[in-house]
Amino acid sequence: MILDSRNSEALTRIIAEKGWENVASISFSKATLTGLVELARLTKLGGPEALEPAKNCLRNLPGAVNWFNNIRGLFDGNFAPTNSSGKIYSAPKAEVWLITSSTCIETDSFLLFLQRFERSLRNSGFKNRFPKLISQGLLEIADNIARHSSVSGLPINGVLGYHVEQEKMNYVAADLGRGVLASLQENSKWASLQDESEALIAAARDGATRIKAHDSGDGFRQIFQSFVDREGTLLMRSGRGLAEIRGNATSKIAETGYSKALEGLRVTAACDLRKKSEEILLCC
């Protein structure tokens, strides 16, 4: 069984219906970065008793456990940015980052994180302006989390991550904030929204924003320009709402659904230059 975002939804339902004590019997044979981010987010919400069952799910994947521990620490606000010059200017296949405020995405270290992502894309066959557009899409999501997800001034502790292989990429952004619907309802134009899935589509497709001075904002516009226009796939989760958007330069398909309620927002992007876009397996 693969731990990816779709199987994370199944895991969410198992936890809601049977509790964490029934999770320990599950064993994943493969994992993706998005799946590990979602597992870490579930354990953060589940409290201390969730940690050991979650790790037990990964008992056959020691490499995935290391990733999980790192990501789980990010949700707690624990972070040690890359500081050696050799790593700062490298092009890692995969990396995760912590978002705590709008000011943290304006730092040099975060800019270098985006540059490493872009460099990895170029090294993996993404050509011309495409790597820049993709990295700007990730910046857009980071900005959205930093500015719109906070609840009563509490720390955000949003997580960003990317994974790049030859001619394919994934990235993921997740937080434990108030979700898209509550944020958009601050703006009178979008106050009539009552459904999380509807709110996700409004944010992604229509540029819906909570900022009262604007009818629409950037939303996730850069994502469309970067890879949904090129047959990429965008998966979004907020509250109990799910949305999947895929398409090309001439058409878009948006499908919505529902799962068990979960705090915060998760955005997952996938693009494969050769075939249908899907999440990339980590080597574990």
Side-chain angles (χ1 to χ4, degrees), residues 97-107 110 142-150 153-158:
W97 204 260
L98 173 66
I99 299 297
T100 57
S101 67
S102 58
T103 56
C104 79
I105 64 174
E106 299 170 355
T107 62
F110 183 71
D143 181 72
N144 188 282
I145 287 175
R147 297 183 188 279
H148 304 308
S149 65
S150 180
L154 296 174
I156 297 168
N157 293 352

Side-chain angles (χ1 to χ4, degrees), residues 13 37 42 65 119 154 165 177 181 253:
R13 290 192 292 272
V37 168
L42 286 168
V65 173
R119 194 177 299 117
L154 296 174
E165 296 292 346
L181 180 61
I253 298 173

Side-chain angles (χ1 to χ4, degrees), residues 227-233 247-249 270-272 275-277:
F227 63 87
V228 174
D229 277 355
R230 307 187 193 201
E231 302 197 21
T233 300
N248 51 46
C271 184
D272 191 320
K275 59 182 181 180
K276 181 179 178 181
S277 299

Side-chain angles (χ1 to χ4, degrees), residues 3 28-32 36-37 39 54-55 57-71 282-284:
L3 176 61
F28 290 103
S29 59
K30 300 175 182 178
T32 69
L36 292 172
V37 168
L39 181 61
K55 288 184 178 180
C57 289
L58 305 173
R59 56 187 175 272
N60 296 322
L61 300 171
V65 173
N66 292 333
W67 277 101
F68 170 81
N69 288 336
N70 189 11
I71 296 165
L282 285 168
C283 295
C284 300

